[in-house]
């Protein structure tokens, strides 16, 4: 059986020279790769006591929903502004060149609920840190943040200091 890293397509010089883009779609396009990805993420949380998986738009949905289904947990989407139909709270965060914002339904997390944040990639950690703030604002407790891939050179774990962070694949560079 192949290792998960073998399913990741690496594209040099995208989106700019010197960057190696790690393409998760090549995992999604292969049934064995997708199963291995979900199983690997599930191994990171299988022994935890938690109530909810929160996935960030959009690839966090792709990996978070199957985990929630397999583990019989609720799933909460963390979305871009204007995509959720009910009352929301929002959190802005810094990007390399600008800012972005994510939202969550105001009633999505109940006080005291234990939450796992899921996404495909941790780079600078801004999106995940914003998701953590949203969950905590609603009274939830983030017990772990899990990612399929990590670009360690961008030091995203610093944005999640004080939280349990784990990734399936860790690339040392950017």
């Amino acid at each position: 059986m192949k290792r998960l890293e073998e399913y990741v397509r690496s594209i040099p010089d995208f989106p700019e020279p010197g960057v190696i883009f790690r393409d998760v779609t090549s995992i999604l396009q292969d049934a064995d790769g997708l199963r291995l990805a979900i199983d690997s993420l599930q191994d990171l949380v299988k022994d935890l006591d938690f109530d909810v998986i929160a996935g960030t738009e959009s690839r966090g949905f792709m990996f978070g929903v199957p985990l929630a289904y397999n583990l019989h947990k609720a799933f909460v989407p963390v979305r871009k502004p204007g995509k959720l139909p009910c009352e929301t709270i929002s959190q802005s965060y810094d990007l390399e060149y600008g800012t972005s914002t994510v939202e969550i339904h105001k009633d999505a997390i109940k006080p005291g609920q234990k939450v796992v944040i899921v996404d495909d990639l941790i780079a600078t950690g801004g999106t995940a840190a914003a998701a953590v703030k949203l969950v905590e604002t609603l009274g939830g407790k983030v017990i772990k943040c899990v990612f399929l891939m990590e670009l360690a050179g961008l030091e995203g774990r610093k944005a999640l200091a004080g939280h349990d962070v784990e990734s399936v694949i860790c690339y040392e560079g950017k």
Side-chain angles (χ1 to χ4, degrees):
M1 181 174 213
K2 290 168 63 173
R3 295 175 336 140
L4 189 57
E5 292 89 329
E6 296 176 64
Y7 291 97
V8 178
R9 179 173 37 199
S10 296
I11 302 166
D13 299 321
F14 183 83
E16 59 187 51
V19 173
I20 299 174
F21 185 82
R22 308 298 180 172
D23 186 12
V24 73
T25 62
S26 53
I27 294 172
L28 299 170
Q29 292 168 342
D30 187 288
D32 291 333
L34 179 57
R35 180 181 301 273
L36 184 56
I38 298 300
D39 290 349
S40 297
L41 285 167
Q42 190 166 309
D43 284 344
L44 300 180
V45 299
K46 68 181 179 190
D47 296 325
L48 295 178
D49 174 27
F50 68 98
D51 307 299
V52 177
I53 291 177
T56 54
E57 189 165 339
S58 68
R59 292 181 183 126
F61 301 173
M62 296 176 194
F63 296 105
V65 169
L67 286 179
Y69 178 83
N70 286 349
L71 298 170
H72 196 70
K73 304 293 181 184
F75 179 82
V76 170
V78 178
R79 302 227 43 201
K80 295 175 183 174
K83 301 290 185 181
L84 294 169
C86 297
E87 190 175 358
T88 62
I89 61 168
S90 62
Q91 180 66 48
S92 293
Y93 59 98
D94 291 328
L95 299 169
E96 190 173 355
Y97 303 105
T99 61
S100 191
T101 302
V102 288
E103 295 182 336
I104 192 171
H105 277 144
K106 199 171 192 176
D107 62 355
I109 304 293
K110 310 291 183 276
Q113 282 189 312
K114 294 176 266 185
V115 180
V116 170
I117 305 286
V118 175
D119 205 352
D120 70 317
L121 176 73
I122 179 171
T124 63
T127 305
V132 166
K133 287 180 185 174
L134 289 171
V135 167
E136 291 174 346
T137 297
L138 293 175
K141 178 170 176 41
V142 175
I143 59 164
K144 192 162 191 164
C145 299
V146 296
F147 305 93
L148 194 62
M149 298 184 290
E150 177 176 355
L151 303 178
L154 294 175
E155 301 181 329
R157 287 176 182 254
K158 286 184 179 179
L160 298 170
H163 291 88
D164 185 4
V165 177
E166 199 167 359
S167 58
V168 176
I169 302 170
C170 184
Y171 296 103
E172 292 306 317
K174 300 177 179 180

